[in-house]
Amino acid sequence: VATPYFGEGIVNWNNQLLQLTLHHRVCFKYDLATFAKRGEFKYEGQGWGLTQDGKSIIMSDSTAVLRFLDPETFKEKHRITVKDSDGPVANLNELELVKDKIYANVWERDKIAIIEPKAGKVVGWINLEHLWAGSDNWDETLNGIAYDPEGDRLFVTGKKWPYLYEIRVKE
């Protein structure tokens, strides 16, 4: 069955899964155990990536801005503009909280920004340009990050990539 929605970022919160839609400005809420739909809420702009820090849901929307949302009301609490030494970092996509930093892949760049969440400063980059020798086609770009806190390791993949890579980041 065709659906008008294109699913994007997803995060777990309080026995729920929250899933953004790219263009429809709707976030669906599902029961974590059964995946039954439990509601939805609206937001402004595009929906690209989600993570959470135990206090807020953190959302990316294709810009250099990360929004911190109240997990109960989904109202915006505050926002940060992510910057490195060259200025704002646009196209922030998939998000993952790793220890006390936000990791964000940057769409169409095979890099992951390591972001200090209070000020939005990029404190490091993970360069993955040699990880996938696919085409230069935009729909084969780096696009997935998952963190395993028990093993202190990252898993990364991309759109249409045939592999999931396990990587370890050294300071």
Side-chain angles (χ1 to χ4, degrees):
V1 175
T3 178
Y5 301 107
F6 184 93
E8 275 288 336
I10 194 165
V11 69
N12 65 319
W13 178 266
N14 196 22
N15 296 318
Q16 302 178 92
L17 288 176
L18 306 176
Q19 179 190 25
L20 297 174
T21 57
L22 180 62
H23 295 295
H24 285 85
R25 300 177 176 155
V26 176
C27 183
F28 295 108
K29 297 190 281 187
Y30 302 98
D31 183 274
L32 184 60
T34 67
F35 300 121
K37 185 178 171 189
R38 296 291 182 225
E40 59 187 62
F41 68 92
K42 302 268 186 185
Y43 54 86
E44 290 301 313
Q46 293 186 8
W48 280 36
L50 287 176
T51 192
Q52 56 107 338
D53 63 5
K55 299 174 286 203
S56 299
I57 304 297
I58 305 165
M59 178 180 159
S60 66
D61 62 5
S62 83
T63 67
V65 172
L66 294 179
R67 294 185 245 172
F68 289 71
L69 310 176
D70 181 283
E72 301 308 318
T73 66
F74 301 103
K75 301 291 184 201
E76 186 175 314
K77 294 165 49 172
H78 71 278
R79 59 177 56 199
I80 59 172
T81 299
V82 175
K83 296 178 182 177
D84 68 3
S85 60
D86 295 326
V89 178
N91 291 328
L92 298 174
N93 195 356
E94 169 68 6
L95 304 175
E96 188 73 15
L97 190 77
V98 178
K99 300 176 184 170
D100 62 344
K101 303 290 188 276
I102 300 169
Y103 284 35
N105 86 277
V106 180
W107 186 61
E108 293 191 304
R109 292 176 66 188
D110 290 326
K111 292 183 177 182
I112 296 172
I114 302 172
I115 304 160
E116 189 285 312
K118 286 188 174 53
K121 179 180 178 186
V122 175
V123 295
W125 289 95
I126 303 170
N127 185 345
L128 299 174
E129 66 185 17
H130 298 294
L131 188 61
W132 168 243
S135 72
D136 290 333
N137 190 338
W138 70 268
D139 64 351
E140 293 186 10
T141 188
L142 174 69
N143 196 49
I145 310 168
Y147 178 61
D148 167 29
E150 289 180 25
D152 192 26
R153 58 193 177 158
L154 283 175
F155 294 97
V156 296
T157 192
K159 291 179 185 269
K160 298 186 181 182
W161 287 15
Y163 304 108
L164 174 70
Y165 294 92
E166 175 186 337
I167 64 174
R168 294 184 192 275
V169 178
K170 295 185 178 186
E171 297 293 319

